[in-house]
Amino acid sequence: MELMNAIPVLNEIRHSLEALRERGETRTINIYNFPMTNDDAQFLDEALGRGPVQVRYDGRECTFWQETDVSGVWWGEYRNADGRIVLRTIEIAEFPPLAKAQVEDMGDGIQRIDELIAAQSNEVRRALPVLGAAAD
């Protein structure tokens, strides 16, 4: 197996994982920033393995994360609207940051729930029948 950059990437992952554990710092490594041979990719895939958790985000673009066998290390794959892979990453985080609920989206959710509550409050409500009461 002829490796070009797999060991430096693995070393970067190791130091980033230590920073996550000790200081809570997350890190995203853009794999496209490193020239990789097929042997490098195979080595990293085998070294990191695949864990049981997968996260898929289907929006205008599709993003997919796969947990590795190394806790705190995730494979990331980002596709454009045409389904073409535009970015591959290794993310060192407890959970991929972009997969978490975003503050802006929570604000939209609050507004939507407020509108639903207001709409229901304006509806005329029928009294519920009393169970077990004799019918008139």
Side-chain angles (χ1 to χ4, degrees):
M1 190 173 270
E2 193 170 322
L3 301 178
M4 182 188 312
N5 278 313
I7 299 303
V9 169
L10 204 54
N11 192 45
E12 180 67 25
I13 292 167
R14 186 245 180 262
H15 288 287
S16 297
L17 195 54
E18 188 172 45
L20 174 64
R21 184 185 69 176
E22 293 177 4
R23 297 182 298 282
E25 295 174 9
T26 62
R27 172 106 162 87
T28 298
I29 299 169
N30 179 349
I31 295 188
Y32 290 155
N33 284 345
F34 296 88
M36 291 270 178
T37 64
N38 287 338
D39 287 344
D40 283 321
Q42 181 181 348
F43 175 83
L44 285 173
D45 191 32
E46 291 172 3
L48 296 174
R50 303 291 167 123
V53 179
Q54 296 178 352
V55 179
R56 181 181 174 104
Y57 172 78
D58 288 317
R60 282 181 292 135
E61 292 128 6
C62 178
T63 306
F64 177 81
W65 294 276
Q66 168 73 55
E67 180 186 38
T68 70
D69 271 340
V70 178
S71 184
V73 180
W74 299 78
W75 293 107
E77 185 175 276
Y78 299 77
R79 295 178 179 258
N80 65 13
D82 297 327
R84 199 177 105 246
I85 297 171
V86 293
L87 179 64
R88 283 200 169 128
T89 62
I90 296 173
E91 300 183 33
I92 295 82
E94 293 172 357
F95 191 77
L98 288 178
K100 294 182 350 183
Q102 303 300 308
V103 173
E104 308 81 43
D105 296 337
M106 288 181 216
D108 293 343
I110 291 168
Q111 181 179 349
R112 180 174 171 210
I113 291 172
D114 286 345
E115 290 168 1
L116 290 168
I117 292 169
Q120 286 302 308
S121 296
N122 294 332
E123 294 280 321
V124 176
R125 296 183 187 243
R126 261 188 3 195
L128 292 174
V130 177
L131 298 178
D136 292 335

